[in-house]
Amino acid sequence: RDPSQHANGVRVGVEAYRLRTRDLDPHGSRMDDASLARLAYGSGGVMREFMHLIREVAEQAWDRKLETVDRSTVDAAVDTRRRLYEEGLDDRVKSLLATVAQSRSLPDDESVPRLLRNWWLVPYPNESVWWHPHPLLMISALADKGAS
């Protein structure tokens, strides 16, 4: 109910990673659960985005010749994906996203299809579907608009 808090989707991402890598990392020592949770949260509940984040972490860890993923590697991966999501955000879109963050409903605006297509808005299906800006956008792009 609170998009700033981790929910079951984060647990699913962590478990999916552990299941997919148990033959490569049987003790789960290459990446801790807190790092995986940060990546899962940053995915906005989209498994494909979670895998993009995992791949970004793997590439950076490989380049740095790390045996174990550290917090700075996870932060760098999240930052890289965040920058991709922020491409094309203008003040009007930021304002619409801030409005949705407060109202949790889609605005009556011709830009909504673009917001959905770019995953700038993410659905949260509880009892009924409500909307919120993608978690990666909430890191910095909307901070000055007061959205959370």
Side-chain angles (χ1 to χ4, degrees):
R1 297 192 189 281
D2 178 357
S4 68
Q5 301 299 311
H6 292 185
N8 288 336
V10 169
R11 182 182 45 78
V12 168
V14 172
E15 288 176 8
Y17 176 86
R18 293 286 181 225
L19 287 171
R20 295 286 298 183
T21 61
R22 67 179 166 215
D23 58 330
L24 301 171
D25 186 16
H27 305 291
S29 60
R30 296 196 190 268
M31 191 166 0
D32 63 24
D33 284 352
S35 294
L36 287 168
R38 177 155 162 71
L39 298 173
Y41 177 79
S43 75
V46 179
M47 191 57 72
R48 179 179 53 201
E49 180 59 31
F50 180 62
M51 296 314 299
H52 283 297
L53 285 162
I54 294 292
R55 186 177 311 129
E56 186 66 37
V57 166
E59 288 174 6
Q60 292 192 30
W62 177 270
D63 289 346
R64 294 175 53 202
K65 297 176 178 42
L66 297 176
E67 288 290 323
T68 302
V69 172
D70 60 12
R71 178 67 185 214
S72 67
T73 304
V74 172
D75 289 346
V78 168
D79 190 58
T80 297
R81 295 301 295 173
R82 176 191 59 81
R83 289 172 190 271
L84 286 173
Y85 269 84
E86 288 180 352
E87 289 179 4
L89 291 179
D90 55 32
D91 287 341
R92 183 168 187 280
V93 170
K94 288 180 183 182
S95 178
L96 282 170
L97 292 173
T99 298
V100 172
Q102 293 176 354
S103 71
R104 297 185 178 194
S105 61
L106 293 177
D108 183 17
D109 190 281
E110 70 272 1
S111 297
V112 167
R114 180 176 167 221
L115 300 175
L116 298 173
R117 184 177 53 253
N118 290 329
W119 284 97
W120 291 338
L121 285 178
V122 180
Y124 288 85
N126 292 5
E127 292 83 29
S128 62
V129 175
W130 55 278
W131 301 86
H132 201 266
H134 193 285
L136 291 176
L137 295 177
M138 299 307 294
I139 293 172
S140 66
L142 299 176
D144 59 352
K145 293 289 185 184
S148 58

